[in-house]
Structure formats: C-alpha cells, structure tokens
Amino acid sequence: MSLLVVGLSHRSAPVSVLERAALSADAQVKLVQDTVAAEPATEAAVLATCNRIELYADVDKFHAGVAELSTLLAQHSGVGLEELTPYLYVHYEDRAVHHLFSVACGLDSMVVGEGQILGQIKDSLARAQDLHTAGKLLNDLFQQALRVGKRAHSETGIDRAGQSLVTFGLEQLAAGGDVQGWAAGRRALVIGAGSMSSLAAATLARAGVTEVVVANRTFERAERLARILAEGDDTDVAARAVPMNAVPGELTRADVVVSCTGATGLVLTAEAVAQAVEDRTGRPAEDEGDDTGSGAAGTAVAALPPTSVGTEENCPLDLAAVQGSTGFSVAGEAAVAGMDAATLEQHAAWVDNGTLDRRARRTPEADAELITALAATVATVGRIPERRRPEPVPGIPRPAPALFLLDLAMPRDIDAAVHRLAGVRLVDIESLAEASADAPMAADVDQVRRIVSDEVAAFGAAQRAAHITPTVVALRTMAADVVAGEIARLDGRLPDLDERQRGEIRQAVHRVVDKLLHAPTVRVKQLAAEPGGAGYADALRTLFDLDPETVAAVSRAEDSTDKKDRPA
C-alpha cells in the first residue's frame, strides 16, 4: 500500500473555486467514509482549512487511486469534476509525506510560518481515528507531521517569518501600520465563536479596542467567549454577546468587524454594509465600480442588482446558486466567475436580449459587453479573473474608511461587492493571498526546509524498515519451528540423553541458527530502509519460501498491538 494525497489550495486554485469546494463538517465525515469504502483505499483522512482541501489515503493502485479520490472530492464538494480537475494537485509516497510535513511547518500556508495549521492537522487525525479510517500509515504520518511542525517552531525562528491569519489580516486592515495604534479606542464586532473568531477577539482585545461584541448562531457560545474576554487578566475590554439577529444594529455601532462562521451563504451583504455606513456617517456609501458615467464616485449601492437575478426565465446560468456559493452579488461579475466561454457567450446573448432585471445598476448593453469581453478572456487564459475592486479614479482620492471588515471564512461571509464601496475597507482570504505573495521571507525558512527534508527521509526509512519486519519475524519463526522439529526428532532417536545433555544440544542448535540469520536479517533491514529497498522483503520471502499468509498474520498482529497501545 502507498500514500496518496489529492487536493487543492490557495496555491493551485482561485478563491472562488475554493469557496465553492469548501466542505462542511458533515461532508468531511461522509467523504472520509466513502473513501475507505472505495476499492483502492484502505485508510483515509481529510484536511480542510480556510485555504485548502486535501484528501489523504493509503491506496494499492496509483492511477485508480487518483481517479477515485478526485471523483470523491468533486462529488462531496459539489464542484464538477471537469471544472475541479485543473486545480487539483497530486502527491504520492515520499512527495506526499514531504507535502504534509511542509504544511505542518507552515511552509505551505498563506501566511508562511503560521502555527494554527498544527491544530487543524490534529483535528483531522482525531476525526479519522474517531471514524476508524486511520490505520497504521496515517496514524504514523499525521503524528509525525505534528512532531515535525513542533520541531520547526521550537528549533527555528519560523514564527518570525509569518503570523497567524488573524494578525496578518488586522495588519492589512491597518494598511501596514501598527495594529495597536490603529485599534486603540475602536469598537469591534466579532461574528462567530469558533477558534478563528476567538483568536480574533482576543487579539483585538489585547490590541486595545474598547469593546468587543460577539455574535453567534448559538448564543451560549457567544456568551462564553464574551465572558472569557471580560475576565481576562491581560486585557481591560468590555465584552458582551448578542444574537445573530442583532448584527445589523451592531454593525452600525462597530468600527471593526471580523467574521468567520461556518455559514454556507453570505452573513453580510453589500446592502447591509452600505446601510450601516450610511447610518454611521449620514452619507450614502457609494459604489466606486460604476462605469456608466453617472459620476466620478459612482451611484449609491441601493441600485446594486438583486441576488435573485438567476431565476429569470431562459437564463442559461443558475445565477442564484453561483452567487450563493461564491459570495458575489453583482450580476455581471458574479455570474461569470469560473464559467466556461460557451456558457458566458450564452449568458451574454441572454443579457443582450434585454431580459436582465431593469433595477440592475448596469444597462443590459453594458452587461452584455462586459460578459462578452470576459468570455473572450476565459477562451484565451482559461479562467476568469475576478474584477472586484474599483479602478482608482485619477485625481479623486478614495475617502478614509468609516468601517473596517475582516472576512476569514471559507466560503466567504461578506459579499465581495463590499470591496467597491467607498468608506469601507474589506480584507478577505483573497486579498490576504495577494498581500502574502509579496511578504518578506525569513532566513529561517531555509532551515525549516532542511528539517522537513531530513524528517521525510527518516520517516521513509522507518516505513520501509517496518515493511520488512513481518517478513523477518516470519523467517525467524520458521527457523524456530525447524529447530523445534529437529530437537524433537533427536529426542526420539537418542532417548538415553540426560537433561543437561539435551539442554546443551538445544542451546548449540539455537546459537548456530541465530548466528546464521543475524547478519542477513540485520543487513536486509538496513537495505530495506534505503530508497528502492522494498524489493528485499519480496526476495527474502522467495528465497526462504515463506508462506505469505504467515507474513500477513504477523502484520495484522503488529497493527492490533499498535492500536491497543496507542494513547487515546
């Protein structure tokens, strides 16, 4: 059996695809269960974070394994296989081990060096253990990945190379300035009460915000987080909990909003944000993306197109489904994200026929022109670039933000159309990916890479050595049986020997056998630990005519002992 990983991440796929492929907790459980039920796989675990979805499995066939795992990912994510395939990556055996160890050390994170991934790997392993889908290989692999990640953080300065996604996001909100100076005296609203939201709330409290309001669908969890913040020894912040239906009112009072929920739809629409800004400032929040010539700053967001436009008769796209999964609400840009050229051209024709909702900010002609141009783009470059931010207007500075929004959810909680609102600064997963691409890399990263390489080699050697152990045990068992048989035969032929003589003979025969087997078995373990050494086990079984069932029985016994002795 061999290790295989199939997945997609912020490095291989646009955020719009990652959002649509995001897996709920129930979907992750079903994916793992269906993977081990499939023929090529005997073990499985899924690692799903805000910027990656990876399926790990122990498979007996590479090509069949890749096909099966890719199909299962597509089925459970709801993204068609043909659309998902160009964004998938595949790692096998040592490369798969190298990938997970790099992930555990934060080398593959959006913010290099962040340590939150270790907790997510631990959760992934715990889930697979609870579901009994992690056998010896994945248990060994994930536990070693956790040790490698901890080693990287303790032996190097990788923590200096990056920060948590929360800290990095707040720095982006502060436009690269000092977060404490920027946050001091502001009021914060945190939507969600999970681990990421809790970290954001604690970080804001330490940064000096005067108040943190926590909103969550389960009010008790919001109350618990608020109580922890209020009772903390290292902060002097007022904290309170509110139900989710109080968010619109709190949005008007807040200066900073952090949202990270498990919702599948939008938590904050562009219209809700625009209304909050207008209530705060007394001026409408304007959409800077307007290009109809109605003014330099554009028209009010009240004229944004409705999200129900996809239900119009004869539209070839299910726009409502697309918008619900990607978080966009601007018709022309929401509908086209990730679509193929032919579908876009169909949609352009539909818009050109004048069936677009007349309340839309764009005219049908303007939308048709935009979508036709995007169709030409996708035909050339293979995918649609997401046009979310307004182009700067020469000579007209963008007004200072009245509201700061940080969206750490996947799929997104906050409508991406908010990027186009004057008086608002939105930082989301996609903008963090763009910003982190230019972040300076610490010299410690090279040291971590060396640690990963050494650990991959050691893990591979240990696995290969473990692979031959059942064969060596079976060989020694066979030798012991031969010795026992010969001693029994000798007892029958020489009944007059006393016990002392029989004992001397038994010891002499055992010593001869042990000495004959010692050098070959030690050497074969050494050779098997080297790359390409797996064939030595087969050679040993062939040379000594070992029963494959005996070897398999030893393997099963070892696996049973490992599970019994493994700490809970």
Side-chain angles (χ1 to χ4, degrees), residues 352-503:
D352 199 31
N353 288 334
T355 55
L356 185 66
D357 194 311
R358 291 295 180 178
R359 293 173 294 169
R361 172 175 52 81
R362 294 182 181 277
T363 64
E365 293 77 13
D367 231 2
E369 182 179 349
L370 167 66
I371 296 173
T372 302
L374 288 170
T377 301
V378 77
T380 304
V381 302
R383 72 179 183 87
I384 294 294
E386 295 179 8
R387 282 184 73 250
R388 299 173 306 130
R389 296 175 180 77
E391 294 295 329
V393 180
I396 302 179
R398 183 167 178 145
L403 183 61
F404 297 85
L405 304 171
L406 177 58
D407 184 359
L408 298 173
M410 183 66 75
R412 74 180 82 225
D413 279 347
I414 303 175
D415 193 338
V418 169
H419 277 292
R420 305 172 70 90
L421 297 181
V424 180
R425 178 176 296 157
L426 169 63
V427 171
D428 54 17
I429 293 296
E430 189 171 26
S431 13
L432 287 174
E434 293 170 1
S436 64
D438 299 325
M441 300 287 285
D444 299 275
V445 169
D446 288 336
Q447 186 178 351
V448 173
R449 287 183 177 136
R450 287 192 293 271
I451 288 175
V452 169
S453 296
D454 292 345
E455 292 284 357
V456 169
F459 183 83
Q463 290 295 308
R464 289 187 290 270
H467 176 70
I468 203 170
T469 297
T471 302
V472 172
V473 171
L475 173 61
R476 288 191 171 275
T477 301
M478 183 193 75
D481 290 343
V482 171
V483 169
E486 289 301 314
I487 293 296
R489 190 175 68 85
L490 185 64
D491 287 346
R493 296 183 61 182
L494 300 174
D496 297 333
L497 292 176
D498 59 34
E499 277 306 310
R500 184 184 65 79
Q501 292 170 325
R502 293 179 190 279

Side-chain angles (χ1 to χ4, degrees), residues 14-25 27-28 48-53 77 79 191 217 259-268 321-328 406-416 428-430:
V15 172
S16 59
V17 175
L18 281 173
E19 283 182 314
R20 295 168 57 205
L23 299 172
S24 65
Q28 292 176 41
T49 72
C50 61
N51 53 28
R52 76 177 63 250
I53 303 163
S77 68
V79 180
I191 305 175
R217 295 188 188 283
S259 188
C260 187
T261 73
T264 55
L266 293 177
V267 174
L268 294 179
V322 173
Q323 291 164 0
S325 60
T326 64
F328 285 83
L406 177 58
D407 184 359
L408 298 173
M410 183 66 75
R412 74 180 82 225
D413 279 347
I414 303 175
D415 193 338
D428 54 17
I429 293 296
E430 189 171 26

Side-chain angles (χ1 to χ4, degrees), residues 91-127:
H91 298 299
Y92 189 55
E93 296 189 325
D94 283 355
R95 289 303 306 168
V97 176
H98 188 281
H99 175 73
L100 181 59
F101 287 4
S102 297
V103 169
C105 293
L107 292 180
D108 198 59
S109 295
M110 186 177 294
V111 182
V112 174
E114 60 93 11
Q116 292 175 351
I117 186 65
L118 285 174
Q120 293 160 333
I121 292 174
K122 185 178 180 180
D123 291 343
S124 176
L125 174 59
R127 184 187 307 110

Side-chain angles (χ1 to χ4, degrees), residues 51 124 249 299 332 342 439 526 534 540 548 564:
N51 53 28
S124 176
T299 57
Q526 294 172 340
L540 208 59
K564 182 180 66 176

Side-chain angles (χ1 to χ4, degrees), residues 14 83 108 517:
E83 183 181 354
D108 198 59
L517 290 181

Side-chain angles (χ1 to χ4, degrees), residues 324-355:
S325 60
T326 64
F328 285 83
S329 68
V330 179
E333 294 163 7
V336 299
M339 296 297 163
D340 60 84
T343 308
L344 289 173
E345 287 168 356
Q346 281 184 312
H347 183 260
W350 173 78
V351 172
D352 199 31
N353 288 334
T355 55

